[in-house]
Amino acid sequence: FILSKFNPVIKTCEDVTLIKLMNVPSDMVFIGEVFGKIAELSVDVNMISLSEKSNRSVLAFTVKDDDFIKTVEYTSKLKDGSVKPIVSSGNCIISIVDVAMENAPGVAARVFKTLAEANVQIMLITTSESQISVLVTRADFDDAVDSLSRQFV
């Protein structure tokens, strides 16, 4: 891609909890209802990832640390407790944002290589045409932002 047109901004969000719901039915109606109820709790969900195994899924998403208790109280009751939440709080989201990324192959590779060279563990990844977001631990946050800033800004 043409680097001269690429002028990314790095955005960050601290105090983020990752919730992984294990053993979720692979049923979009059910998953829609889960997020509907979370919205009724006035919880803002940021990153979402869904991976399927047979007819069960792992549904991972992030919320603000302040909202994780009420979210986990709700999600631990799903399907009579057969859906198991795994919680990791105190994390941070780092996003590389630029509309010039659209149709620009290789940006994700540079992000992942840069973070790997800084020994940063990525816990969750989401992308769009103009944004790559990664969830990292608070311990890795400063190194991740510094290395991405040197690479992209």
Side-chain angles (χ1 to χ4, degrees), residues 67-118:
D67 291 329
F68 93 86
I69 291 174
K70 62 182 168 182
T71 306
V72 171
E73 285 175 349
Y74 161 66
T75 58
S76 51
K77 297 174 188 168
L78 292 171
K79 295 289 182 184
D80 296 323
S82 67
V83 172
K84 304 291 182 198
I86 298 174
V87 179
S88 170
S89 57
N91 303 298
C92 305
I93 298 172
I94 305 168
S95 300
I96 308 291
V97 183
D98 191 336
V99 293
M101 278 196 285
E102 187 174 344
N103 300 314
V107 177
R110 286 178 58 200
V111 169
F112 304 147
K113 181 179 180 198
T114 299
L115 294 175
E117 289 171 351

Side-chain angles (χ1 to χ4, degrees), residues 128-141:
S128 71
E129 291 178 338
S130 61
Q131 180 170 312
I132 299 170
S133 297
V134 294
L135 181 72
V136 301
T137 64
R138 179 69 189 106
D140 284 340
F141 177 70

Side-chain angles (χ1 to χ4, degrees), residues 4 6 11 15 19 24 27 45 50 54 75 84 87 93 103-105 112 115 121-122 146 152:
S4 62
F6 188 60
K11 296 182 177 184
D15 303 320
I19 300 173
V24 172
D27 173 3
V45 173
L50 177 68
S54 304
T75 58
K84 304 291 182 198
V87 179
I93 298 172
N103 300 314
F112 304 147
L115 294 175
Q121 179 185 351
I122 300 172
D146 290 346
F152 290 103

Side-chain angles (χ1 to χ4, degrees), residues 7-48:
N7 189 21
V9 173
I10 295 176
K11 296 182 177 184
T12 62
C13 179
E14 299 182 50
D15 303 320
V16 175
T17 296
L18 171 64
I19 300 173
K20 289 183 184 178
L21 300 180
M22 312 302 288
N23 202 32
V24 172
S26 296
D27 173 3
M28 287 302 115
V29 172
F30 175 77
I31 291 170
E33 289 170 354
V34 168
F35 284 114
K37 177 61 177 173
I38 290 171
E40 288 175 17
L41 295 171
S42 297
V43 173
D44 189 24
V45 173
N46 190 328
M47 304 172 85
I48 300 172

